[in-house]
PDB file of all heavy atoms in Angstrom:
ATOM      1  N   PRO A   1     203.266  64.818 219.877  1.00  0.00           N
ATOM      2  CA  PRO A   1     202.024  64.103 220.180  1.00  0.00           C
ATOM      3  C   PRO A   1     200.835  64.757 219.480  1.00  0.00           C
ATOM      4  O   PRO A   1     200.807  65.971 219.273  1.00  0.00           O
ATOM      5  CB  PRO A   1     201.906  64.231 221.703  1.00  0.00           C
ATOM      6  CG  PRO A   1     203.296  64.507 222.169  1.00  0.00           C
ATOM      7  CD  PRO A   1     203.957  65.285 221.080  1.00  0.00           C
ATOM      8  N   LEU A   2     199.869  63.958 219.110  1.00  0.00           N
ATOM      9  CA  LEU A   2     198.711  64.479 218.394  1.00  0.00           C
ATOM     10  C   LEU A   2     197.954  65.524 219.201  1.00  0.00           C
ATOM     11  O   LEU A   2     197.408  66.474 218.651  1.00  0.00           O
ATOM     12  CB  LEU A   2     197.765  63.326 218.029  1.00  0.00           C
ATOM     13  CG  LEU A   2     198.304  62.342 216.985  1.00  0.00           C
ATOM     14  CD1 LEU A   2     197.303  61.214 216.787  1.00  0.00           C
ATOM     15  CD2 LEU A   2     198.555  63.060 215.665  1.00  0.00           C
ATOM     16  N   TRP A   3     197.961  65.364 220.521  1.00  0.00           N
ATOM     17  CA  TRP A   3     197.162  66.278 221.331  1.00  0.00           C
ATOM     18  C   TRP A   3     197.659  67.716 221.240  1.00  0.00           C
ATOM     19  O   TRP A   3     196.892  68.665 221.378  1.00  0.00           O
ATOM     20  CB  TRP A   3     197.140  65.838 222.799  1.00  0.00           C
ATOM     21  CG  TRP A   3     198.463  65.921 223.515  1.00  0.00           C
ATOM     22  CD1 TRP A   3     199.375  64.926 223.660  1.00  0.00           C
ATOM     23  CD2 TRP A   3     199.007  67.071 224.175  1.00  0.00           C
ATOM     24  NE1 TRP A   3     200.461  65.362 224.378  1.00  0.00           N
ATOM     25  CE2 TRP A   3     200.260  66.685 224.706  1.00  0.00           C
ATOM     26  CE3 TRP A   3     198.574  68.370 224.364  1.00  0.00           C
ATOM     27  CZ2 TRP A   3     201.076  67.562 225.414  1.00  0.00           C
ATOM     28  CZ3 TRP A   3     199.389  69.247 225.073  1.00  0.00           C
ATOM     29  CH2 TRP A   3     200.631  68.831 225.588  1.00  0.00           C
ATOM     30  N   LYS A   4     198.983  67.877 220.957  1.00  0.00           N
ATOM     31  CA  LYS A   4     199.504  69.236 220.829  1.00  0.00           C
ATOM     32  C   LYS A   4     198.948  69.932 219.590  1.00  0.00           C
ATOM     33  O   LYS A   4     198.636  71.114 219.606  1.00  0.00           O
ATOM     34  CB  LYS A   4     201.029  69.207 220.779  1.00  0.00           C
ATOM     35  CG  LYS A   4     201.681  68.933 222.131  1.00  0.00           C
ATOM     36  CD  LYS A   4     203.172  69.225 222.090  1.00  0.00           C
ATOM     37  CE  LYS A   4     203.781  69.080 223.477  1.00  0.00           C
ATOM     38  NZ  LYS A   4     205.219  69.414 223.478  1.00  0.00           N
ATOM     39  N   GLY A   5     198.825  69.194 218.534  1.00  0.00           N
ATOM     40  CA  GLY A   5     198.239  69.753 217.327  1.00  0.00           C
ATOM     41  C   GLY A   5     196.780  70.102 217.528  1.00  0.00           C
ATOM     42  O   GLY A   5     196.310  71.150 217.081  1.00  0.00           O
ATOM     43  N   TRP A   6     196.074  69.203 218.184  1.00  0.00           N
ATOM     44  CA  TRP A   6     194.657  69.481 218.451  1.00  0.00           C
ATOM     45  C   TRP A   6     194.503  70.703 219.370  1.00  0.00           C
ATOM     46  O   TRP A   6     193.622  71.524 219.168  1.00  0.00           O
ATOM     47  CB  TRP A   6     194.001  68.268 219.109  1.00  0.00           C
ATOM     48  CG  TRP A   6     193.988  67.042 218.224  1.00  0.00           C
ATOM     49  CD1 TRP A   6     194.031  67.001 216.874  1.00  0.00           C
ATOM     50  CD2 TRP A   6     193.952  65.684 218.668  1.00  0.00           C
ATOM     51  NE1 TRP A   6     194.017  65.702 216.408  1.00  0.00           N
ATOM     52  CE2 TRP A   6     193.962  64.865 217.499  1.00  0.00           C
ATOM     53  CE3 TRP A   6     193.910  65.059 219.914  1.00  0.00           C
ATOM     54  CZ2 TRP A   6     193.933  63.478 217.554  1.00  0.00           C
ATOM     55  CZ3 TRP A   6     193.874  63.672 219.968  1.00  0.00           C
ATOM     56  CH2 TRP A   6     193.884  62.889 218.798  1.00  0.00           C
ATOM     57  N   ASP A   7     195.387  70.789 220.376  1.00  0.00           N
ATOM     58  CA  ASP A   7     195.317  71.901 221.314  1.00  0.00           C
ATOM     59  C   ASP A   7     195.587  73.216 220.603  1.00  0.00           C
ATOM     60  O   ASP A   7     194.933  74.230 220.881  1.00  0.00           O
ATOM     61  CB  ASP A   7     196.330  71.696 222.445  1.00  0.00           C
ATOM     62  CG  ASP A   7     196.219  72.776 223.510  1.00  0.00           C
ATOM     63  OD1 ASP A   7     195.170  72.841 224.162  1.00  0.00           O
ATOM     64  OD2 ASP A   7     197.171  73.561 223.678  1.00  0.00           O
ATOM     65  N   TRP A   8     196.538  73.200 219.673  1.00  0.00           N
ATOM     66  CA  TRP A   8     196.864  74.427 218.937  1.00  0.00           C
ATOM     67  C   TRP A   8     195.678  74.880 218.095  1.00  0.00           C
ATOM     68  O   TRP A   8     195.397  76.080 217.968  1.00  0.00           O
ATOM     69  CB  TRP A   8     198.081  74.187 218.052  1.00  0.00           C
ATOM     70  CG  TRP A   8     198.462  75.420 217.253  1.00  0.00           C
ATOM     71  CD1 TRP A   8     199.199  76.466 217.671  1.00  0.00           C
ATOM     72  CD2 TRP A   8     198.072  75.701 215.909  1.00  0.00           C
ATOM     73  NE1 TRP A   8     199.319  77.402 216.679  1.00  0.00           N
ATOM     74  CE2 TRP A   8     198.629  76.958 215.572  1.00  0.00           C
ATOM     75  CE3 TRP A   8     197.331  75.024 214.959  1.00  0.00           C
ATOM     76  CZ2 TRP A   8     198.453  77.542 214.328  1.00  0.00           C
ATOM     77  CZ3 TRP A   8     197.147  75.605 213.722  1.00  0.00           C
ATOM     78  CH2 TRP A   8     197.698  76.846 213.408  1.00  0.00           C
ATOM     79  N   LYS A   9     194.952  73.933 217.524  1.00  0.00           N
ATOM     80  CA  LYS A   9     193.806  74.274 216.670  1.00  0.00           C
ATOM     81  C   LYS A   9     192.654  74.899 217.451  1.00  0.00           C
ATOM     82  O   LYS A   9     191.914  75.718 216.929  1.00  0.00           O
ATOM     83  CB  LYS A   9     193.324  73.031 215.934  1.00  0.00           C
ATOM     84  CG  LYS A   9     194.283  72.550 214.854  1.00  0.00           C
ATOM     85  CD  LYS A   9     193.732  71.323 214.144  1.00  0.00           C
ATOM     86  CE  LYS A   9     194.702  70.842 213.060  1.00  0.00           C
ATOM     87  NZ  LYS A   9     194.181  69.647 212.345  1.00  0.00           N
ATOM     88  N   VAL A  10     192.517  74.487 218.712  1.00  0.00           N
ATOM     89  CA  VAL A  10     191.392  75.017 219.482  1.00  0.00           C
ATOM     90  C   VAL A  10     191.739  76.309 220.206  1.00  0.00           C
ATOM     91  O   VAL A  10     190.865  76.945 220.787  1.00  0.00           O
ATOM     92  CB  VAL A  10     190.887  73.980 220.516  1.00  0.00           C
ATOM     93  CG1 VAL A  10     190.395  72.737 219.822  1.00  0.00           C
ATOM     94  CG2 VAL A  10     191.965  73.645 221.533  1.00  0.00           C
ATOM     95  N   GLN A  11     193.017  76.709 220.191  1.00  0.00           N
ATOM     96  CA  GLN A  11     193.378  77.972 220.809  1.00  0.00           C
ATOM     97  C   GLN A  11     192.737  79.114 220.034  1.00  0.00           C
ATOM     98  O   GLN A  11     192.801  79.176 218.803  1.00  0.00           O
ATOM     99  CB  GLN A  11     194.898  78.163 220.823  1.00  0.00           C
ATOM    100  CG  GLN A  11     195.640  77.188 221.717  1.00  0.00           C
ATOM    101  CD  GLN A  11     195.280  77.377 223.170  1.00  0.00           C
ATOM    102  OE1 GLN A  11     195.238  78.502 223.665  1.00  0.00           O
ATOM    103  NE2 GLN A  11     195.024  76.287 223.853  1.00  0.00           N
ATOM    104  N   LYS A  12     192.103  80.027 220.769  1.00  0.00           N
ATOM    105  CA  LYS A  12     191.394  81.112 220.106  1.00  0.00           C
ATOM    106  C   LYS A  12     192.302  82.337 220.011  1.00  0.00           C
ATOM    107  O   LYS A  12     192.669  82.945 221.006  1.00  0.00           O
ATOM    108  CB  LYS A  12     190.112  81.435 220.882  1.00  0.00           C
ATOM    109  CG  LYS A  12     189.084  80.308 220.830  1.00  0.00           C
ATOM    110  CD  LYS A  12     187.782  80.680 221.503  1.00  0.00           C
ATOM    111  CE  LYS A  12     187.867  80.579 223.016  1.00  0.00           C
ATOM    112  NZ  LYS A  12     187.986  79.198 223.485  1.00  0.00           N
ATOM    113  N   ASN A  13     192.656  82.687 218.771  1.00  0.00           N
ATOM    114  CA  ASN A  13     193.459  83.865 218.482  1.00  0.00           C
ATOM    115  C   ASN A  13     192.947  84.479 217.190  1.00  0.00           C
ATOM    116  O   ASN A  13     192.615  83.765 216.241  1.00  0.00           O
ATOM    117  CB  ASN A  13     194.940  83.519 218.330  1.00  0.00           C
ATOM    118  CG  ASN A  13     195.642  83.361 219.670  1.00  0.00           C
ATOM    119  OD1 ASN A  13     195.840  84.331 220.393  1.00  0.00           O
ATOM    120  ND2 ASN A  13     196.008  82.130 220.003  1.00  0.00           N
ATOM    121  N   GLY A  14     192.875  85.831 217.183  1.00  0.00           N
ATOM    122  CA  GLY A  14     192.387  86.497 215.996  1.00  0.00           C
ATOM    123  C   GLY A  14     190.868  86.469 215.907  1.00  0.00           C
ATOM    124  O   GLY A  14     190.166  86.204 216.880  1.00  0.00           O
ATOM    125  N   LEU A  15     190.349  86.729 214.719  1.00  0.00           N
ATOM    126  CA  LEU A  15     188.908  86.761 214.508  1.00  0.00           C
ATOM    127  C   LEU A  15     188.348  85.353 214.447  1.00  0.00           C
ATOM    128  O   LEU A  15     188.849  84.495 213.728  1.00  0.00           O
ATOM    129  CB  LEU A  15     188.575  87.510 213.221  1.00  0.00           C
ATOM    130  CG  LEU A  15     187.093  87.677 212.884  1.00  0.00           C
ATOM    131  CD1 LEU A  15     186.395  88.502 213.962  1.00  0.00           C
ATOM    132  CD2 LEU A  15     186.929  88.339 211.521  1.00  0.00           C
ATOM    133  N   ARG A  16     187.303  85.095 215.225  1.00  0.00           N
ATOM    134  CA  ARG A  16     186.680  83.770 215.256  1.00  0.00           C
ATOM    135  C   ARG A  16     185.186  83.902 215.002  1.00  0.00           C
ATOM    136  O   ARG A  16     184.590  84.959 215.167  1.00  0.00           O
ATOM    137  CB  ARG A  16     186.883  83.114 216.635  1.00  0.00           C
ATOM    138  CG  ARG A  16     188.322  82.957 217.054  1.00  0.00           C
ATOM    139  CD  ARG A  16     188.979  81.762 216.439  1.00  0.00           C
ATOM    140  NE  ARG A  16     188.379  80.533 216.942  1.00  0.00           N
ATOM    141  CZ  ARG A  16     188.968  79.341 216.877  1.00  0.00           C
ATOM    142  NH1 ARG A  16     190.152  79.230 216.328  1.00  0.00           N
ATOM    143  NH2 ARG A  16     188.368  78.261 217.338  1.00  0.00           N
ATOM    144  N   HIS A  17     184.609  82.776 214.574  1.00  0.00           N
ATOM    145  CA  HIS A  17     183.164  82.737 214.443  1.00  0.00           C
ATOM    146  C   HIS A  17     182.539  82.752 215.833  1.00  0.00           C
ATOM    147  O   HIS A  17     183.216  82.725 216.843  1.00  0.00           O
ATOM    148  CB  HIS A  17     182.744  81.494 213.663  1.00  0.00           C
ATOM    149  CG  HIS A  17     183.204  81.518 212.235  1.00  0.00           C
ATOM    150  ND1 HIS A  17     182.745  82.431 211.323  1.00  0.00           N
ATOM    151  CD2 HIS A  17     184.092  80.720 211.570  1.00  0.00           C
ATOM    152  CE1 HIS A  17     183.326  82.218 210.160  1.00  0.00           C
ATOM    153  NE2 HIS A  17     184.149  81.185 210.277  1.00  0.00           N
ATOM    154  N   ARG A  18     181.229  82.749 215.861  1.00  0.00           N
ATOM    155  CA  ARG A  18     180.515  82.810 217.137  1.00  0.00           C
ATOM    156  C   ARG A  18     180.900  81.630 218.033  1.00  0.00           C
ATOM    157  O   ARG A  18     180.878  80.482 217.628  1.00  0.00           O
ATOM    158  CB  ARG A  18     179.005  82.819 216.879  1.00  0.00           C
ATOM    159  CG  ARG A  18     178.182  83.054 218.128  1.00  0.00           C
ATOM    160  CD  ARG A  18     176.699  83.194 217.792  1.00  0.00           C
ATOM    161  NE  ARG A  18     176.404  84.457 217.135  1.00  0.00           N
ATOM    162  CZ  ARG A  18     176.043  84.578 215.869  1.00  0.00           C
ATOM    163  NH1 ARG A  18     175.939  83.493 215.103  1.00  0.00           N
ATOM    164  NH2 ARG A  18     175.777  85.760 215.344  1.00  0.00           N
ATOM    165  N   VAL A  19     181.257  81.965 219.276  1.00  0.00           N
ATOM    166  CA  VAL A  19     181.650  80.952 220.254  1.00  0.00           C
ATOM    167  C   VAL A  19     180.617  80.947 221.374  1.00  0.00           C
ATOM    168  O   VAL A  19     180.327  81.983 221.973  1.00  0.00           O
ATOM    169  CB  VAL A  19     183.056  81.244 220.826  1.00  0.00           C
ATOM    170  CG1 VAL A  19     183.406  80.221 221.900  1.00  0.00           C
ATOM    171  CG2 VAL A  19     184.094  81.230 219.715  1.00  0.00           C
ATOM    172  N   TYR A  20     180.063  79.760 221.654  1.00  0.00           N
ATOM    173  CA  TYR A  20     179.011  79.638 222.659  1.00  0.00           C
ATOM    174  C   TYR A  20     179.569  79.123 223.981  1.00  0.00           C
ATOM    175  O   TYR A  20     180.486  78.293 224.004  1.00  0.00           O
ATOM    176  CB  TYR A  20     177.919  78.681 222.179  1.00  0.00           C
ATOM    177  CG  TYR A  20     176.999  79.277 221.146  1.00  0.00           C
ATOM    178  CD1 TYR A  20     177.340  79.248 219.794  1.00  0.00           C
ATOM    179  CD2 TYR A  20     175.797  79.879 221.514  1.00  0.00           C
ATOM    180  CE1 TYR A  20     176.502  79.797 218.835  1.00  0.00           C
ATOM    181  CE2 TYR A  20     174.952  80.429 220.560  1.00  0.00           C
ATOM    182  CZ  TYR A  20     175.317  80.381 219.227  1.00  0.00           C
ATOM    183  OH  TYR A  20     174.479  80.925 218.275  1.00  0.00           O
ATOM    184  N   ALA A  21     178.982  79.624 225.065  1.00  0.00           N
ATOM    185  CA  ALA A  21     179.285  79.105 226.400  1.00  0.00           C
ATOM    186  C   ALA A  21     178.227  78.069 226.773  1.00  0.00           C
ATOM    187  O   ALA A  21     177.188  77.940 226.106  1.00  0.00           O
ATOM    188  CB  ALA A  21     179.296  80.241 227.419  1.00  0.00           C
ATOM    189  N   VAL A  22     178.482  77.329 227.838  1.00  0.00           N
ATOM    190  CA  VAL A  22     177.555  76.281 228.257  1.00  0.00           C
ATOM    191  C   VAL A  22     176.181  76.857 228.604  1.00  0.00           C
ATOM    192  O   VAL A  22     175.145  76.229 228.349  1.00  0.00           O
ATOM    193  CB  VAL A  22     178.140  75.509 229.463  1.00  0.00           C
ATOM    194  CG1 VAL A  22     177.158  74.454 229.955  1.00  0.00           C
ATOM    195  CG2 VAL A  22     179.464  74.866 229.086  1.00  0.00           C
ATOM    196  N   ASN A  23     176.143  78.052 229.181  1.00  0.00           N
ATOM    197  CA  ASN A  23     174.870  78.645 229.607  1.00  0.00           C
ATOM    198  C   ASN A  23     174.109  79.343 228.480  1.00  0.00           C
ATOM    199  O   ASN A  23     173.062  79.935 228.695  1.00  0.00           O
ATOM    200  CB  ASN A  23     175.101  79.638 230.746  1.00  0.00           C
ATOM    201  CG  ASN A  23     176.010  80.792 230.326  1.00  0.00           C
ATOM    202  OD1 ASN A  23     176.441  80.882 229.178  1.00  0.00           O
ATOM    203  ND2 ASN A  23     176.318  81.670 231.275  1.00  0.00           N
ATOM    204  N   GLY A  24     174.643  79.285 227.275  1.00  0.00           N
ATOM    205  CA  GLY A  24     173.955  79.883 226.137  1.00  0.00           C
ATOM    206  C   GLY A  24     174.482  81.245 225.723  1.00  0.00           C
ATOM    207  O   GLY A  24     174.112  81.753 224.657  1.00  0.00           O
ATOM    208  N   ASP A  25     175.318  81.876 226.538  1.00  0.00           N
ATOM    209  CA  ASP A  25     175.937  83.148 226.150  1.00  0.00           C
ATOM    210  C   ASP A  25     176.821  82.915 224.932  1.00  0.00           C
ATOM    211  O   ASP A  25     177.382  81.816 224.760  1.00  0.00           O
ATOM    212  CB  ASP A  25     176.785  83.706 227.292  1.00  0.00           C
ATOM    213  CG  ASP A  25     175.958  84.012 228.541  1.00  0.00           C
ATOM    214  OD1 ASP A  25     174.715  84.001 228.443  1.00  0.00           O
ATOM    215  OD2 ASP A  25     176.576  84.243 229.600  1.00  0.00           O
ATOM    216  N   HIS A  26     176.978  83.919 224.100  1.00  0.00           N
ATOM    217  CA  HIS A  26     177.875  83.741 222.959  1.00  0.00           C
ATOM    218  C   HIS A  26     178.603  85.029 222.617  1.00  0.00           C
ATOM    219  O   HIS A  26     178.136  86.139 222.928  1.00  0.00           O
ATOM    220  CB  HIS A  26     177.142  83.189 221.728  1.00  0.00           C
ATOM    221  CG  HIS A  26     176.026  84.041 221.240  1.00  0.00           C
ATOM    222  ND1 HIS A  26     174.729  83.897 221.674  1.00  0.00           N
ATOM    223  CD2 HIS A  26     176.006  85.063 220.335  1.00  0.00           C
ATOM    224  CE1 HIS A  26     173.954  84.775 221.053  1.00  0.00           C
ATOM    225  NE2 HIS A  26     174.696  85.498 220.251  1.00  0.00           N
ATOM    226  N   TYR A  27     179.738  84.862 221.972  1.00  0.00           N
ATOM    227  CA  TYR A  27     180.619  85.981 221.637  1.00  0.00           C
ATOM    228  C   TYR A  27     181.095  85.825 220.203  1.00  0.00           C
ATOM    229  O   TYR A  27     181.451  84.741 219.761  1.00  0.00           O
ATOM    230  CB  TYR A  27     181.825  86.003 222.581  1.00  0.00           C
ATOM    231  CG  TYR A  27     182.901  86.996 222.188  1.00  0.00           C
ATOM    232  CD1 TYR A  27     182.788  88.348 222.497  1.00  0.00           C
ATOM    233  CD2 TYR A  27     184.034  86.583 221.484  1.00  0.00           C
ATOM    234  CE1 TYR A  27     183.773  89.257 222.137  1.00  0.00           C
ATOM    235  CE2 TYR A  27     185.030  87.482 221.124  1.00  0.00           C
ATOM    236  CZ  TYR A  27     184.890  88.818 221.450  1.00  0.00           C
ATOM    237  OH  TYR A  27     185.862  89.710 221.084  1.00  0.00           O
ATOM    238  N   LEU A  28     181.096  86.942 219.498  1.00  0.00           N
ATOM    239  CA  LEU A  28     181.578  86.976 218.123  1.00  0.00           C
ATOM    240  C   LEU A  28     182.577  88.121 218.007  1.00  0.00           C
ATOM    241  O   LEU A  28     182.230  89.285 218.251  1.00  0.00           O
ATOM    242  CB  LEU A  28     180.419  87.199 217.144  1.00  0.00           C
ATOM    243  CG  LEU A  28     180.798  87.429 215.669  1.00  0.00           C
ATOM    244  CD1 LEU A  28     181.480  86.187 215.090  1.00  0.00           C
ATOM    245  CD2 LEU A  28     179.564  87.780 214.855  1.00  0.00           C
TER     246      LEU A  28
END
């Protein structure tokens, strides 16, 4: 199913760019 591919892409593993939370906090 397409959703599995999409889910795999959004899984965070390894080095990622800046990721924002809803409240404005962010992690790099």
